[in-house]
Amino acid sequence: MAAFAAVSFAEGITFGAWLRNIAAPVANNGEDTVTVAGNSWGTPARSARLNVTAVAPDGNAGFNMGIYNDSTMGKLNSGDEANLWVKPLDIVKVSYGKYDNNTLRGDLCYGSWNWQRPNSAWIAGDEGLLMSGNDQTGLLAEITPMENFYVQALLPITDQVVKAGTTYKKIQAGFAYTVPGLVKVKGQYIGKGAGKIDYAVDGKKATKDEYDAAVAANDALTVVAYDEAGNPLYATKNAAKKVQKEVEGNSNCDLEAEIDVLAVEGLFAGVGFRYDVRKDGKKNNAKEENMKVALGVSYQVMPELKVSASGAYFTYYGEKVDPRFQAGAGVDYDLGDGLAMNADFRYVSKSGNDGKKDKNSDHMAFAVGVTKNVSSNGYIGVAFQGMTNSGNFAGMDGKLKDGKDAKFVWTVPVALSVWF
């Protein structure tokens, strides 16, 4: 997301906002000419928003929160952040709540990311391409033990009563160390807790259908664990011990690392790595990601011209699941008098199994757009975008009526953005 400015409302309290709505007066989903509106990331359109920040006069306590008005929902919604914090020491900040903490996140955003996003044209999006951010809820500690060295750790404690061992296996912790003018190094551990869940009925291993039938019949059911969304998992009483042991016995995690080169003025170059560690991974034939290697580069060639490029390579669990890759390149050019032009091209390779590629499963997308600054706090823009073998533009998700992918879809988004 873009940074937003903040204005003071009272001593220690500021309000800020950043918004971008996309309205396409004409688009084509492969079958029909349509209209659609939303945000760059999808629907519903968020046409009003407040971000509230409070900081004590000595800078050692405060809170952050967001209030969002998603226009088609007819009500206010909680935002990306709702947390309070204190600093018991100059080098330690402790907070609790919901976060959109991107201190460690590695981004490379350009081109169609800022228009109507062609979500089928990448596997990993521009935000978090090189390294993930922290959007969890829990108890967060941020420590700066020395200049240019930052550490964070989040324990995902929520209002659900969960065994402590289960919570600790989902800890997220990372660091960043900067050598000024040379390099920045980051690393992160993201615990994912439970692995594969085996179903059981009356003490015997069962299929999911058999398990669901037992749940529907309410056959002496008891809650034995919770899934990632906090929904209860059930089993019959004499199966509870076995299922609970298997749910809590597997510890999976993502290991991430990123290195950014800072030695050349105007150049950003970063490489990111993620490896998914799982106990049952070699036995799992699903198309679940095993490893990602990503690269992002942007260079300010001259004050008016910036070029960007990114790519990533993915491997998957399952012996017959083929690796895939994505790539993209874009250009931004300042035309003067508040006018700017940008364009980009994206590609993601076909999926496949055992060397046999799926039909129409690679995707190419492009965007060409122009924006015009309005005042000092907004812009208006229009673009033309197209994508092959998919109808999955943000807000246009879905397949053709016969279930197949569209050969080509296009959209003409009008973008309105403001910040305060």
Side-chain angles (χ1 to χ4, degrees):
M1 303 294 180
F4 53 81
V7 295
S8 177
F9 176 74
E11 184 178 356
I13 299 178
T14 57
F15 286 72
W18 174 86
L19 296 146
R20 183 197 297 130
N21 282 174
I22 301 287
V26 61
N28 189 283
N29 64 7
E31 289 181 323
D32 302 306
T33 299
V34 300
T35 62
V36 66
N39 312 287
S40 289
W41 52 94
T43 56
R46 181 173 299 148
S47 299
R49 158 183 177 173
L50 279 179
N51 284 80
V52 186
T53 300
V55 181
D58 63 3
N60 291 326
F63 72 80
N64 303 287
M65 69 173 294
I67 307 169
Y68 293 172
N69 189 332
D70 293 336
S71 58
T72 60
M73 298 182 71
K75 61 180 181 180
L76 296 177
N77 302 288
S78 61
D80 295 330
E81 285 205 296
N83 56 73
L84 59 86
W85 56 270
V86 296
K87 293 185 69 176
L89 301 171
D90 286 342
I91 64 170
V92 178
K93 180 179 178 181
V94 181
S95 54
Y96 180 81
K98 179 183 178 184
Y99 302 94
D100 184 27
N101 186 309
N102 299 317
T103 309
L104 296 177
R105 196 176 75 182
D107 302 341
L108 192 79
C109 303
Y110 60 92
S112 52
W113 188 258
N114 300 319
W115 295 99
Q116 197 169 343
R117 294 177 187 168
N119 293 318
S120 295
W122 47 61
I123 300 168
D126 290 4
E127 290 180 354
L129 173 70
L130 304 178
M131 191 161 162
S132 302
N134 194 330
D135 58 1
Q136 297 199 67
T137 294
L139 183 66
L140 176 67
E142 298 174 271
I143 305 170
T144 311
M146 56 184 290
E147 189 176 5
N148 300 316
F149 186 42
Y150 169 86
V151 179
Q152 72 167 228
L154 180 138
L155 193 60
I157 304 171
T158 69
D159 56 4
Q160 294 283 344
V161 178
V162 179
K163 283 194 173 184
T166 300
T167 301
Y168 298 145
K169 289 175 181 176
K170 296 181 181 179
I171 192 171
Q172 180 170 345
F175 75 92
Y177 181 70
T178 302
V179 180
L182 186 61
V183 68
K184 186 173 186 177
V185 179
K186 299 188 288 184
Q188 185 164 220
Y189 171 95
I190 304 174
K192 298 195 292 187
K196 179 179 65 176
I197 296 173
D198 286 336
Y199 299 96
V201 174
D202 294 331
K204 297 180 181 179
K205 191 171 182 177
T207 66
K208 187 176 186 302
D209 289 341
E210 292 169 334
Y211 167 84
D212 289 340
V215 172
N218 195 27
D219 184 13
L221 297 174
T222 180
V223 176
V224 297
Y226 292 89
D227 65 15
E228 295 293 332
N231 301 311
L233 300 172
Y234 298 94
T236 56
K237 286 184 177 178
N238 58 351
K241 184 176 181 181
K242 175 183 177 182
V243 176
Q244 185 162 327
K245 180 180 179 182
E246 291 185 352
V247 169
E248 296 182 353
N250 291 333
S251 296
N252 300 328
C253 68
D254 281 342
L255 301 177
E256 295 189 317
E258 180 183 346
I259 299 176
D260 301 333
V261 177
L262 311 175
V264 180
E265 185 177 357
L267 172 70
F268 170 83
V271 59
F273 174 80
R274 182 174 71 221
Y275 187 78
D276 176 59
V277 180
R278 63 177 63 194
K279 208 167 188 178
D280 61 331
K282 294 182 180 178
K283 301 176 183 178
N284 190 340
N285 289 320
K287 294 182 179 180
E288 295 181 83
E289 189 180 308
N290 168 231
M291 183 184 70
K292 177 189 77 174
V293 180
L295 176 67
V297 179
S298 65
Y299 183 55
Q300 195 74 42
V301 180
M302 58 184 72
E304 300 84 8
L305 176 64
K306 180 181 179 180
V307 295
S308 304
S310 61
Y313 177 80
F314 305 84
T315 62
Y316 298 87
Y317 283 112
E319 295 179 359
K320 296 184 179 181
V321 182
D322 299 339
R324 299 181 71 187
F325 72 91
Q326 66 181 57
V331 59
D332 292 88
Y333 192 81
D334 186 349
L335 299 171
D337 295 325
L339 284 170
M341 183 199 75
N342 60 73
D344 79 331
F345 175 83
R346 309 289 184 123
Y347 175 80
V348 62
S349 65
K350 291 186 176 185
S351 61
N353 289 272
D354 200 19
K356 297 179 180 179
K357 300 299 183 183
D358 295 338
K359 185 177 180 181
N360 293 338
S361 60
D362 66 335
H363 306 284
M364 291 181 286
F366 66 88
V368 180
V370 176
T371 61
K372 167 65 176 175
N373 289 341
V374 178
S375 183
S376 60
N377 295 82
Y379 70 73
I380 183 171
V382 63
F384 181 79
Q385 297 178 252
M387 180 166 54
T388 64
N389 298 332
S390 175
N392 197 8
F393 271 117
M396 290 171 58
D397 300 351
K399 294 180 177 291
L400 301 178
K401 294 171 185 176
D402 60 6
K404 296 180 180 180
D405 292 329
K407 295 291 185 182
F408 183 73
V409 296
W410 54 267
T411 181
V412 181
V414 175
L416 303 174
S417 184
V418 297
W419 53 89
F420 300 95

